[in-house]
């Protein structure tokens, strides 16, 4: 499907192609080489596609680390993951034996026959324990499993919110929730609690996407620990309902099949994702950068 076209002042037509995976979430983007600086038109059209489709897939992109970071910086400053600031967990996706691990803006995503778990196995939105969570993340896959598998499933939290009943939307709109890094990094990955603890933040249960104005659910199984206005039993029950609503309704979702030299850019403000670990003991390797976002607001 041919996407956005604009006429430049030199009469040269610059264009990308946008092929939606389905009407709700996900699109394959063509007609652009991310190893080269983008034009203003290309950047504007990619940003518009992100606001519309939330997950963008770029195939056949041979990128250096510098190329990857240059593309990401067009959307904002690069985020530094709490692991680079606080601690390194055993078997975490970050590769401690790689020189790339010294770069605080690169998160190495790695799994092989020695891994006890992989990053992203549980449904989550990236680093919502930060006061200003990433607005988006870009994973560039270098090595895909040689046996196949290793897909990532994404779910639209905009569509999940809009599918709730009017009464439920009215009830949850004013609520807030606690997001605690200790839930995933210590409770899930087994990392020691660092000095000063993991990041912890309060965010609205429902936020408004700054790029398209639509409302989205903003609670996730990876980091959210409580809805602050409710009793514990009420909070636990409502969170479990909202998580399962996002995670199990396939009509909100798309599935990305990885291949080497694929870059996927997802909007962290209105998606959750789940990395399928169905390729053990084969290997998977890539690099991820994330972009600092705004504090979520209702």
């Amino acid at each position: 499907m041919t996407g956005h076209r604009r006429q430049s002042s030199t009469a040269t037509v610059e264009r990308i192609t946008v092929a939606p995976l389905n009407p709700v979430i996900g699109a394959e983007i063509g007609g652009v080489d991310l190893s080269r600086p983008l034009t203003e038109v290309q950047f504007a059209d990619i940003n518009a596609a992100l606001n519309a489709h939330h997950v963008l897939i770029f195939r056949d992109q041979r990128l250096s680390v510098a190329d990857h970071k240059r593309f990401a910086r067009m959307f904002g400053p690069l985020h530094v993951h709490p692991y680079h600031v606080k601690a390194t967990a055993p078997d975490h996706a970050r590769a401690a034996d790689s020189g790339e691990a010294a770069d605080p803006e690169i998160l190495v995503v790695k799994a092989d026959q020695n891994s006890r778990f992989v990053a992203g196995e549980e449904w989550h939105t990236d680093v919502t324990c930060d006061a200003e969570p990433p607005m988006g993340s870009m994973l560039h896959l270098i090595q895909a499993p040689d046996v196949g598998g290793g897909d990532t499933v994404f779910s639209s939290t905009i569509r999940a919110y809009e599918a709730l009943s009017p009464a439920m939307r009215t009830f949850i709109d004013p609520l807030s929730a606690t997001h605690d890094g200790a839930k995933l990094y210590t409770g899930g990955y087994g990392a020691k609690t660092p000095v000063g603890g993991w990041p912890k933040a309060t965010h609205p249960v429902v936020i408004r996407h700054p790029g398209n104005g639509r409302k989205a659910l903003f609670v996730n199984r990876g980091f959210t620990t409580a809805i602050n206005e409710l009793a514990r039993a009420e909070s636990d029950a409502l969170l479990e309902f909202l998580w399962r609503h996002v995670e199990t309704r396939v009509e909100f979702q798309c599935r990305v099949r990885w291949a080497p030299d694929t870059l996927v850019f997802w909007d962290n403000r209105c998606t959750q994702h789940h990395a399928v670990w169905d390729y053990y003991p084969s290997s998977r390797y890539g690099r991820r950068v994330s972009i600092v976002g705004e504090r979520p607001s209702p």
Side-chain angles (χ1 to χ4, degrees):
M1 172 180 172
T2 299
H4 311 274
R5 297 186 188 182
R6 294 184 187 175
Q7 191 78 17
S8 74
S9 59
T10 59
T12 299
V13 175
E14 300 173 6
R15 57 188 288 185
I16 65 171
T17 60
V18 181
L21 300 187
N22 62 51
V24 173
I25 183 171
E28 297 243 4
I29 305 299
V32 63
D33 179 356
L34 300 179
S35 70
R36 305 176 64 180
L38 300 185
T39 66
E40 291 184 6
V41 168
Q42 289 173 322
F43 169 75
D45 288 346
I46 289 171
N47 191 51
L50 183 71
N51 285 331
H53 301 285
H54 321 313
V55 176
L56 306 183
I57 305 152
F58 301 81
R59 303 288 187 185
D60 302 318
Q61 301 290 332
R62 298 183 63 85
L63 305 177
S64 67
V65 171
D67 296 332
H68 190 174
K69 292 170 72 169
R70 181 186 62 245
F71 177 46
R73 283 198 180 101
M74 295 192 74
F75 295 86
L78 299 190
H79 176 265
V80 176
H81 197 279
Y83 268 117
H84 285 293
V85 177
K86 295 284 191 178
T88 302
D91 280 349
H92 186 253
R94 183 180 155 203
D97 58 349
S98 167
E100 293 167 335
D103 186 337
E105 295 172 337
I106 294 288
L107 188 73
V108 174
V109 175
K110 178 182 178 182
D112 57 26
Q113 70 274 14
N114 298 314
S115 299
R116 293 188 295 112
F117 53 80
V118 299
E121 281 185 88
E122 188 157 45
W123 280 96
H124 68 288
T125 300
D126 291 335
V127 200
T128 58
C129 56
D130 276 4
E132 296 178 339
M135 63 76 65
S137 295
M138 298 178 178
L139 176 58
H140 183 227
L141 205 72
I142 311 301
Q143 178 186 0
D146 55 11
V147 294
D151 296 355
T152 302
V153 186
F154 293 89
S155 186
S156 167
T157 57
I158 288 177
R159 186 68 192 98
Y161 173 79
E162 293 172 348
L164 294 171
S165 67
M168 178 60 79
R169 294 198 301 267
T170 298
F171 175 64
I172 66 175
D173 275 353
L175 301 179
S176 67
T178 298
H179 297 244
D180 191 345
K183 182 181 183 184
L184 182 62
Y185 303 139
T186 297
Y189 293 160
K192 293 181 180 178
T193 301
V195 175
W198 296 107
K200 188 175 182 179
T202 296
H203 300 304
V205 169
V206 178
I207 66 171
R208 190 173 295 277
H209 191 285
N212 57 38
R214 297 168 72 184
K215 289 185 175 183
L217 288 174
F218 202 70
V219 293
N220 67 93
R221 193 180 294 274
F223 292 101
T224 311
T225 56
I227 295 178
N228 300 321
E229 295 80 6
L230 303 182
R232 171 58 64 180
E234 296 168 341
S235 170
D236 289 348
L238 181 56
L239 284 173
E240 184 63 32
F241 165 76
L242 294 174
W243 294 335
R244 288 182 61 81
H245 180 66
V246 171
E247 298 165 3
T248 63
R249 296 282 294 273
V250 294
E251 64 268 33
F252 307 157
Q253 299 175 5
C254 70
R255 189 174 181 118
V256 173
R257 176 158 292 180
W258 293 91
D261 299 324
T262 298
L263 182 141
V264 175
F265 179 16
W266 61 89
D267 191 327
N268 203 54
R269 299 163 295 191
C270 62
T271 63
Q272 292 186 26
H273 59 281
H274 162 59
V276 181
W277 193 23
D278 56 357
Y279 52 90
Y280 180 87
S282 293
S283 299
R284 181 175 183 264
Y285 180 86
R287 307 183 191 102
R288 194 187 89 189
V289 300
S290 298
I291 303 123
V292 175
E294 306 170 359
R295 179 180 285 273
S297 59

